[in-house]
Amino acid sequence: MIVGVGAVALTGWERLDPIVAFLGAGNIVWSGVRIVRKSALGLMDTALPVEEQNILRRVLEPYIQDGVQYHALRTRQSGARQFVSVHVLVPVYGQSNAVIGYWKV
């Protein structure tokens, strides 16, 4: 805020002081919002980043060729820990090597 008073003294433009004060207040509010948001996200579970979810999908995709299916891929991060939940359907083959059902894993 001293910057605003100094700028008014140098330029003589009195409207400069409230403009500088408004910018300073906006910076304080923005910093406060970031701190509160970061603190709240540290307490709440969040999904893994999209890049990491895509890595999981790439790991599971080769098994689709063998008839394995998956769905309900869910991820979450709690602090430093990461959790993954996925429903996997493993094919059950009959005597003629035809799929007769799926094991749910």
Side-chain angles (χ1 to χ4, degrees), residues 4 38 49 94:
K38 185 176 179 182

Side-chain angles (χ1 to χ4, degrees), residues 15-69:
R15 291 184 184 229
L16 193 58
D17 185 36
I19 292 172
V20 171
F22 183 72
L23 292 174
N27 185 33
I28 291 169
V29 168
W30 177 251
S31 296
V33 167
R34 283 191 330 208
I35 291 170
V36 169
R37 184 174 186 269
K38 185 176 179 182
S39 298
L41 288 177
L43 297 173
M44 296 173 20
D45 291 353
T46 57
L48 292 180
V50 175
E51 299 85 25
E52 292 186 30
Q53 292 181 30
N54 290 336
I55 291 170
L56 290 169
R57 287 186 181 93
R58 283 196 300 268
V59 168
L60 292 170
E61 280 179 12
Y63 297 100
I64 293 174
Q65 297 171 359
D66 298 329
V68 175
Q69 299 176 12

